[in-house]
Structure formats: structure tokens, C-alpha cells
Amino acid sequence: MINYSLLSNTILFRGIAPEEIASMLKCLGGKTKRFQKDSVIYPAGGFAKAMGVVLSGGVNIEQGDIWGNCAIIGNIGPYETFAETYACLQSEPMPVSVTAAVSTEVLFLEIRKMIDTCTSACPFHSRLIHNLLWAMAEKNLMLTRKMNHITPKSIRARLLSYLSGEAVRRGSYQFNIPFNRQQLADYLSVDRSALSNELSKCKRDGLLDFYKNSFKLKV
């Protein structure tokens, strides 16, 4: 069941009252669907007919090559959006795949109905378009963050860049990350064994402590 109060606090529906969202979703062709862990929501090379809003769980944006190598570009958590750009450019095949990181529920919205003039004269339509542009800008920022994290040559520098960025973004030295070890290695474009080894060294050097995907930075 969709929690309209939570939706009203997201980037996409910011400034729109919960009671208005229900009718808006009908206007936008809103449909929900559940996906099991590792299910492919949108395959690379396919076309996105609708943008997605994660209602629960999370999805990974992944880029692979013909040899089977895979790199995680980013993780999209609850009430964040994905595939906005390719839902706008429906003739452009997606160069990445979208996969359920865990059991996930997604709300799909027909973006063409969002950017075209609303036939119902919805008073919040302009606000929705404004919010969509804001969400796309946030997505560009996410890609910029990843580029900054993988620019350093050493594994330690990449790891600390990512963890430092997460601490600043969350406003806390203690936090959980959305990746397991293999996914984190893929995201940072490093070998998993080498990453695990570097994590142990960072812990030994007193830079951080961790347990599974929970981290505490020591400063």
C-alpha cells in the first residue's frame, strides 16, 4: 500500500499535499510492482517506458560489458527515483541495467504524462515538473560523486573518499552503506579481496571500525 504522507516528503512530490498525490498518480498512470532480490527491473539495451520510484527496498544501477564484468554505478533507496532520463528519451536504449538489490517495491510513473500539459488542469503539475528537474540534477550529482571516488589510484584513497563522503552526506561518523563487499568493490572498481584486505589495514591503523555494512569512522 502506498504511503502518500511519505511520498509527499520526497523530491518528486515535494510541496504537494498527500491527499492530492492519490489523484495525481491516476493522472500519471501510476502502477506498483514487487521484485525479488537480484531481479532485473530494466535490462541494459532495453527501453524504459516509465520512471520508477522505490517504495521499499532498493535498486542498484549497474553497468556491464560483453565479458560479464559488472560495475555498480549507484544505489537507489526508498522514495528515490530512477530511469527518469531514459523514460523521457524512450527511443534511447539504456546503457545500464536496474536490478533489485533486495526485495523491492517500485511505483512506475509515465513520465510523458508528467511533462506534457495535464488534461485535468492539475494545479500541482508545474510543481511536479520542477521537482522532476530537481531529481535529475540530484542524479547527476550522484554520478559526479562516484567519479570523484574512483579517480584516486589507490584502493585506500577510493575507499576513504567514499566513506568520508557518506559521513558528510549523512551528518554522522557512524552509518550503514547499501552495499555488501562485492557490491562495494564493484562500485569502487577494485578487486574484492584487495578491498577486504585494505579494510582490515584501515581498521588496524585506527581509521575506522566496521561490521558487515555498518561503519564507524575514527577521527
Side-chain angles (χ1 to χ4, degrees):
M1 183 175 179
I2 298 175
N3 188 322
Y4 298 111
S5 294
L6 285 178
L7 269 182
S8 68
N9 292 320
T10 64
I11 291 177
L12 188 60
F13 293 100
R14 184 178 295 158
I16 302 173
E19 57 271 19
E20 297 290 340
I21 295 177
S23 59
M24 288 183 67
L25 294 187
K26 293 179 181 179
C27 177
L28 300 174
K31 297 179 181 178
T32 60
K33 187 174 181 180
R34 290 187 176 273
F35 297 90
Q36 296 301 311
K37 180 181 178 181
D38 296 326
S39 296
V40 177
I41 299 172
Y42 280 136
F47 299 90
K49 295 183 178 179
M51 67 174 289
V53 181
V54 177
L55 296 181
S56 65
V59 304
N60 288 331
I61 310 300
E62 303 174 341
Q63 186 166 39
D65 59 29
I66 60 174
W67 295 278
N69 300 309
C70 179
I72 295 178
I73 296 176
N75 174 269
I76 308 299
Y79 295 96
E80 295 180 331
T81 61
F82 64 88
E84 308 96 300
T85 300
Y86 293 96
C88 283
L89 305 171
Q90 294 185 0
S91 61
E92 184 70 22
M94 295 181 64
V96 297
S97 61
V98 182
T99 305
V102 293
S103 179
T104 300
E105 185 176 18
V106 176
L107 167 65
F108 290 101
L109 301 172
E110 295 181 34
I111 203 166
R112 286 290 179 182
K113 293 184 178 181
M114 193 180 301
I115 60 179
D116 291 339
T117 303
C118 182
T119 56
S120 300
C122 173
F124 295 101
H125 203 98
S126 60
R127 166 59 62 179
L128 192 63
I129 294 173
H130 175 274
N131 291 347
L132 176 62
L133 290 174
W134 191 276
M136 293 174 126
E138 286 257 319
K139 208 58 60 67
N140 286 334
L141 183 59
M142 180 187 75
L143 293 175
T144 300
R145 288 195 193 106
K146 176 179 170 65
M147 292 303 299
N148 290 337
H149 297 328
I150 66 174
T151 296
K153 292 184 178 180
S154 73
I155 295 175
R156 175 172 292 201
R158 294 187 183 192
L159 175 63
L160 295 183
S161 174
Y162 171 69
L163 294 177
S164 177
E166 287 298 290
V168 171
R169 191 167 69 88
R170 297 164 186 263
S172 174
Y173 292 130
Q174 188 166 355
F175 50 86
N176 291 337
I177 65 172
F179 303 132
N180 60 32
R181 288 292 177 272
Q182 184 60 61
Q183 291 170 337
L184 180 58
D186 291 340
Y187 179 79
L188 296 175
S189 298
V190 299
D191 177 75
R192 176 181 175 176
S193 297
L195 173 65
S196 296
N197 185 48
E198 196 58 53
L199 277 169
S200 297
K201 289 181 179 178
C202 287
K203 185 175 182 178
R204 181 196 64 197
D205 294 343
L207 295 174
L208 53 83
D209 198 4
F210 62 89
Y211 177 72
K212 294 186 177 179
N213 70 331
S214 179
F215 286 82
K216 182 178 181 180
L217 305 190
K218 299 181 178 180
V219 296

